[in-house]
Amino acid sequence: MRRSLLSTPFSLLLTTLSILPSSSAIQLIESKSLNPCQDNSNFTASLFNVIFTPENKTLGFDVVGVSSISGNVTAELRVLAYGYTAVRQVLDPCKMVDLKGLCPMNTGQIDLNSNIQVSDDVIKAIPKLAYTVPDLDGTVRIYINNTDGQSVACVEAQLSNGKTVYQKAVAWITAVIAGLGLLASALSSGLGHSNTAAHVAANALSLFGYFQAQAMIGMTSVLLPPIVQSWTMNFNWSMGIIKVHFMQRLFTWFQQSTGGKPSTLLSELSTTSVSVQKRSVEVVHKLLMRAYYQSIAPRSNSNSAVNEVNKLVIVKGIKRVAFKSSIEFTNLFMTGLSFLIIFFILVALGISAFKGFCEAAVKFQWMKSEKFLDFRENWKTVLKGIMYRLVIIGYPQMAILCLWELTVIDSPAEVVLALFFFLSMTGILSWACYKVYLIAKSSLHKNPAITLFSDNETVNRWGFLYVQFKASAYYFIGPFLFYILLKAMFISFGQKNSTLQAIALVLIELVALVAVSYYRPWMDKRTNLFNISICAINFVNVIFLLVFSDVFKQPHIVSGVMGVVFFVINAVFALVLLILVLISSIYAIASKNPDVRYERMQDDRASFIKSQTHLPIPTELNALGATARGEGKDPRGFGGADTPPSGVAQPESVVGSTRPQTNREPPHSPVEPYGFGDKPMRRGQSPILSDNSRDPYQGSDRALLGSGIRSNTSSPSPFARGGGGPYKQSNNSNHWHVGAGYDH
C-alpha cells in the first residue's frame, strides 16, 4: 500500500508541500480528539491525547472515556492517509503488557495513561511524507470486537504531524502589503498623481477583497480538508478576527452583563473532546452530527463523573474559525466589530496627525508649500472620503458577522449592535451609490466623466465608489455591493446546510465572472485583467467548495488531492498579486512622475481632474476642459490671471475680434488649433475638430467643445479661458492633467 501511495502523481504535490516551513521541527504524529464512527458505539472518550514519535519508537496516550463493554475484546487498528489504508494491525490487550487493564474490559469510566513501544515493522509501514506534509489528512480508526468477531464499538481520531500552512508570518506579510498599497495610493493622490493613485488603490482594494473571499471559504459549513482550513486561516485578519487576550476577557464580561451566556469551550478542553469538522465519509459525518446534538444531554448513568466526562462537541463553519483562532465563538462578533472600530479610529487619528505635520513642515520650511496642497486645504472632505472607503472595506466582514449574530443571539445587546451596524453601513453605502448616480446623471452633455471628475470635493468624498471603474460604468459599485451582500447572507444564514451554501456560492461567482468578463467595467485593460483574474480564481475556489460538500459522493482521496491543489493554486496566485501590488506601491512612492507608467484613461477623466503635477501642456484641451468647468471667468470676458501677453495675434475667424493683428503668432498645437491644413475653421467649431477628422470625444461631447468656444467670443484670445495653454502665470497654483492623449 505504501508503494501505491508514493507511485501516484499526488506524491509530487506532497513532496512539494513537505519542504514548506512548519511550526514543528520534531517528527511526530498526534491526535487530540476521539469520535464515534459506528452506530450504537459502546465506547466514548472525553479526553484523548495520543502522540507517536518515530525517533524513540514510542506511542504515548492519555485517555479518559466511558465504556459499556464487558469481557475480553480485541482491537483492530487502521491508519488512513488521504483515503488510503496505510497501516492495519490487530491488538490483543490480553497479550500486551501495557494494555493489561483492558483484559477483560469493564463497564464504567476508563483512565489510560501510558507509553507503548512500537515495533519496527509498524514504523516502516508509515510513509515518510506523513511526518513532513503540512496539515496531514490522516485518520486512525479502532474497531473493538468481541470474542465472536462482532464490532461492539468504533472510534476514530484525526491525525496531525504538527506542521501546518497556517503561519502568522503569512498573515502579517499579506496585511502589510495590502496596507502599503492603500498608503501608497493616498500619498500619490496627495502629491497630485491621480492616475497612479487610482490604479494603486484599485489593485490594493481588489487584493483586500481576494483575501476576504479566501476567509469566507473557511467560514462556510462545508467539511473542508485540513489544508484548506489552515490556508484560509491566514486571511482571518481581513475579517477582523484577531485574538487579543484582554479584549476577550472584556467581551466575556460585556456579554454576561447584558444578559448573555458566554461559551466556555476553550476553558473546558481538559474534560471536553472537540472535533474540528472536516471532510469525511458520509456515515461518519452523520454520526458526528448526532453526537453534537446529543452532547448536551446527559447519558443514563448513575455515575456523575461519567456524565461529566461524556461530552463531545463538533465545531464547523464560523464556529470552527473561532475555535481554531482560540476565540470563544460567543465573542467572535464583538471581536470583528471592535477591530473595525479601532481601525476607523486609528485611520482618523493618523490623517489628523498628518495634516498637523504638513502644516508644521510648511511653516518651518521643511516642505514646499505646494506639497499636499489639495489635502491641506480640503482635508476634512478627504477624511470623509477615506471613512467611506473604510466602510466599504469593512462591509463584507460586518455583513457576515452581523447577520450570523442574528442567528445565534449571544446577548440582546449584541443583537442590537448587529442590527445597528448592519443597517447603518448598508444605508450609508446605498445612499452613497444613489448620490453618485445623481451626480453622474446631472451632466448636461451626457458624459458622466465631466460631473464625476471635474469637482475635487466630489472626487475626494465620493470617488471611492467609482474611480476604479471607467466613467461609463460608474454604476457598477451597486452590483458589486449586492454581490457582497448575497454572499454574506448565504454564508451567515446557511451554516446548517453546507450543500445549499456551496451551490449558491457557485451560482453567485459564476454570474459575477460572466458580468465582469462581458462589461469589463474597470478603468483600463490592466486593471480589468487584474480583477477578472481574481473573479476567475474565486469561481474556481467555489467549484472546489462544491466538491468538498460531498454532493458528488466522490472517494475520500479525491477530496484530499483537491484540497492540496486548492492550496497550491491560491498560494501561487496570492504570491503573484502581492508582488504586483508591492511593485506598484514602491514605484508610486519612489518615482518622481509615476503617472507615466499607466496608460491614460479612455474616458478622458484626465481633462477634468485637478493635479499638482506641474506639466506645461501646449494644447488647447486643457483650456477646453477649463471652459467645460466654467473656471477662470472674468466679468470683462478675459481669463483673469491667465490673460495672454498683449503681443499674441488672434484669428478673427474664431473670436470675431476687431483687435489689430501683429506679426507675432501664438505657438501652434500639433493638432492645428485654428483648422486643419488650409481650411479655415467655422465660427463656433472646436479648434481641434474638422469635418474630416476623428472626434476623440464622440457624440455629445462635440457639443461641449463647440459650446465652449462659442462662449468665448468676447475674449481676445482662445487661450484665455481657465488658464490652459502655455501662458499660465506663476501666481496660479491650479494645474491640470493632460487631455485625451493629444499631448506629446
Side-chain angles (χ1 to χ4, degrees):
M1 187 60 66
R2 179 186 177 190
R3 179 180 300 273
S4 64
L5 176 62
L6 296 178
S7 61
T8 60
F10 180 50
S11 63
L12 178 61
L13 289 174
L14 298 182
T15 305
T16 302
L17 293 176
S18 65
I19 64 176
L20 295 175
S22 59
S23 59
S24 175
I26 302 175
Q27 287 189 347
L28 57 87
I29 296 178
E30 63 179 350
S31 179
K32 296 184 178 180
S33 67
L34 190 68
N35 308 310
C37 53
Q38 83 173 30
D39 197 10
N40 298 321
S41 181
N42 294 311
F43 181 85
T44 58
S46 63
L47 179 62
F48 185 82
N49 290 322
V50 177
I51 182 170
F52 169 65
T53 51
E55 293 182 359
N56 57 10
K57 304 178 183 179
T58 301
L59 176 67
F61 52 87
D62 184 8
V63 180
V64 177
V66 176
S67 171
S68 58
I69 304 171
S70 61
N72 294 333
V73 296
T74 59
E76 181 182 352
L77 174 68
R78 297 180 185 179
V79 178
L80 297 90
Y82 299 94
Y84 283 97
T85 302
V87 177
R88 184 171 183 175
Q89 185 175 0
V90 177
L91 306 176
D92 188 349
C94 296
K95 297 179 181 180
M96 302 178 67
V97 178
D98 297 313
L99 297 179
K100 284 293 185 180
L102 299 179
C103 180
M105 282 192 75
N106 299 311
T107 58
Q109 181 172 332
I110 297 177
D111 296 319
L112 297 176
N113 191 340
S114 181
N115 295 309
I116 298 177
Q117 290 297 315
V118 181
S119 64
D120 292 335
D121 294 337
V122 175
I123 296 176
K124 291 179 180 179
I126 301 175
K128 296 296 183 183
L129 291 175
Y131 305 109
T132 55
V133 175
D135 298 292
L136 176 67
D137 189 0
T139 304
V140 57
R141 187 173 302 164
I142 302 175
Y143 293 93
I144 302 177
N145 304 322
N146 58 21
T147 54
D148 296 330
Q150 295 180 346
S151 176
V152 294
C154 176
V155 291
E156 71 172 13
Q158 309 300 330
L159 301 179
S160 171
N161 54 16
K163 296 175 173 59
T164 178
V165 296
Y166 172 44
Q167 302 290 329
K168 291 185 178 180
V170 174
W172 275 103
I173 291 173
T174 54
V176 168
I177 293 180
L180 179 63
L182 296 176
L183 178 62
S185 67
L187 293 176
S188 299
S189 178
L191 292 172
H193 306 303
S194 58
N195 198 5
T196 299
H199 281 84
V200 176
N203 291 343
L205 289 176
S206 299
L207 177 68
F208 202 94
Y210 170 71
F211 291 160
Q212 290 179 323
Q214 292 283 282
M216 290 179 189
I217 294 291
M219 300 177 79
T220 61
S221 61
V222 176
L223 288 77
L224 302 174
I227 195 169
V228 178
Q229 294 182 25
S230 297
W231 169 251
T232 56
M233 289 285 293
N234 288 314
F235 307 100
N236 283 344
W237 63 266
S238 65
M239 305 295 285
I241 303 175
I242 305 171
K243 181 181 180 180
V244 178
H245 291 281
F246 81 90
M247 293 181 66
Q248 296 302 312
R249 293 193 294 269
L250 182 63
F251 300 151
T252 300
W253 168 83
F254 174 78
Q255 189 177 14
Q256 287 177 327
S257 62
T258 55
K261 183 179 180 181
S263 169
T264 56
L265 182 62
L266 295 176
S267 61
E268 296 176 350
L269 293 180
S270 59
T271 59
T272 302
S273 183
V274 180
S275 176
V276 178
Q277 194 177 39
K278 67 176 185 178
R279 173 65 174 87
S280 183
V281 293
E282 182 180 6
V283 62
V284 177
H285 175 213
K286 293 180 178 179
L287 289 167
L288 293 179
M289 292 301 298
R290 187 186 65 181
Y292 171 73
Y293 290 117
Q294 294 177 352
S295 61
I296 301 177
R299 297 289 183 96
S300 57
N301 194 310
S302 58
N303 190 337
S304 61
V306 173
N307 291 336
E308 179 183 358
V309 299
N310 189 21
K311 187 176 182 182
L312 175 65
V313 176
I314 311 298
V315 291
K316 64 174 184 176
I318 296 177
K319 292 184 178 181
R320 175 181 61 208
V321 171
F323 177 76
K324 297 194 72 172
S325 301
S326 298
I327 297 174
E328 296 287 357
F329 64 84
T330 53
N331 289 341
L332 190 65
F333 166 73
M334 290 301 299
T335 300
L337 174 61
S338 298
F339 273 99
L340 182 67
I341 295 175
I342 291 172
F343 188 43
F344 272 61
I345 294 174
L346 290 179
V347 171
L349 293 177
I351 294 173
S352 302
F354 185 70
K355 167 63 167 59
F357 169 78
C358 289
E359 296 297 341
V362 171
K363 180 177 181 180
F364 293 102
Q365 298 183 351
W366 300 338
M367 185 175 67
K368 294 182 179 180
S369 59
E370 63 268 16
K371 282 291 184 73
F372 300 105
L373 180 61
D374 184 66
F375 167 75
R376 286 158 38 212
E377 292 178 347
N378 306 283
W379 74 278
K380 292 183 179 180
T381 303
V382 173
L383 177 60
K384 292 179 182 178
I386 293 177
M387 290 295 106
Y388 275 117
R389 189 179 294 273
L390 295 184
V391 171
I392 199 171
I393 289 176
Y395 187 66
Q397 80 178 59
M398 293 314 300
I400 292 176
L401 294 179
C402 290
L403 294 178
W404 177 70
E405 175 61 29
L406 299 181
T407 65
V408 295
I409 311 179
D410 294 322
S411 78
E414 292 187 28
V415 172
V416 172
L417 288 175
L419 283 172
F420 172 77
F421 278 93
F422 174 73
L423 294 177
S424 61
M425 294 179 72
T426 304
I428 288 172
L429 293 176
S430 300
W431 162 250
C433 291
Y434 178 68
K435 185 69 175 179
V436 169
Y437 174 80
L438 293 180
I439 294 173
K441 288 299 182 181
S442 66
S443 174
L444 299 178
H445 305 282
K446 307 300 181 182
N447 184 3
I450 300 174
T451 52
L452 291 176
F453 295 100
S454 62
D455 180 46
N456 261 9
E457 184 175 356
T458 299
V459 175
N460 288 334
R461 186 170 184 178
W462 309 108
F464 74 99
L465 289 173
Y466 59 81
V467 291
Q468 66 269 35
F469 303 114
K470 55 188 178 184
S472 59
Y474 68 90
Y475 58 84
F476 219 80
I477 187 63
F480 174 73
L481 292 176
F482 183 66
Y483 157 80
I484 293 177
L485 182 59
L486 274 181
K487 290 181 65 175
M489 292 175 64
F490 279 102
I491 292 174
S492 56
F493 293 147
Q495 289 292 302
K496 294 182 179 180
N497 194 331
S498 59
T499 303
L500 175 63
Q501 272 187 336
I503 295 175
L505 291 177
V506 168
L507 295 177
I508 293 171
E509 294 293 352
L510 176 61
V511 172
L513 178 59
V514 172
V516 299
S517 299
Y518 179 78
Y519 289 103
R520 288 170 288 180
W522 285 275
M523 64 182 76
D524 58 16
K525 293 181 180 179
R526 183 182 301 181
T527 311
N528 273 296
L529 178 61
F530 190 92
N531 286 274
I532 292 175
S533 299
I534 292 177
C535 290
I537 292 296
N538 287 340
F539 176 68
V540 172
N541 288 340
V542 294
I543 292 294
F544 280 103
L545 192 69
L546 184 63
V547 175
F548 298 150
S549 68
D550 204 26
V551 69
F552 301 112
K553 308 299 180 183
Q554 71 280 358
H556 186 85
I557 184 63
V558 175
S559 296
V561 173
M562 293 190 69
V564 178
V565 174
F566 177 95
F567 162 72
V568 173
I569 291 176
N570 284 277
V572 173
F573 185 70
L575 179 62
V576 172
L577 294 185
L578 287 170
I579 292 175
L580 292 176
V581 172
L582 181 62
I583 292 175
S584 61
S585 301
I586 295 176
Y587 189 85
I589 296 174
S591 177
K592 293 183 178 179
N593 187 16
D595 282 346
V596 299
R597 185 173 182 262
Y598 302 98
E599 60 181 291
R600 290 186 175 87
M601 312 299 179
Q602 295 181 358
D603 55 18
D604 298 325
R605 66 180 66 180
S607 300
F608 311 102
I609 299 178
K610 184 178 292 187
S611 173
Q612 297 299 326
T613 53
H614 305 280
L615 298 175
I617 306 302
T619 67
E620 282 70 36
L621 281 181
N622 288 336
L624 295 175
T627 300
R629 289 187 296 271
E631 297 189 5
K633 292 182 179 180
D634 188 275
R636 298 170 298 173
F638 294 92
D642 295 308
T643 304
S646 59
V648 178
Q650 307 298 326
E652 293 183 2
S653 62
V654 177
V655 297
S657 173
T658 59
R659 183 174 178 171
Q661 303 293 318
T662 68
N663 294 328
R664 298 180 59 188
E665 293 185 2
H668 286 267
S669 168
V671 291
E672 292 289 334
Y674 305 136
F676 292 84
D678 298 329
K679 185 177 180 180
M681 185 174 64
R682 296 188 301 273
R683 180 179 180 85
Q685 180 183 353
S686 170
I688 65 171
L689 302 175
S690 69
D691 294 338
N692 300 323
S693 65
R694 177 181 178 271
D695 184 354
Y697 283 85
Q698 300 180 357
S700 61
D701 292 310
R702 183 188 297 274
L704 167 65
L705 299 179
S707 63
I709 297 300
R710 286 193 296 271
S711 64
N712 197 27
T713 54
S714 62
S715 173
S717 169
F719 300 97
R721 300 286 293 181
Y727 305 106
K728 294 184 65 63
Q729 299 297 318
S730 59
N731 62 343
N732 186 0
S733 63
N734 292 336
H735 303 273
W736 304 91
H737 264 310
V738 181
Y742 290 92
D743 59 306
H744 298 281

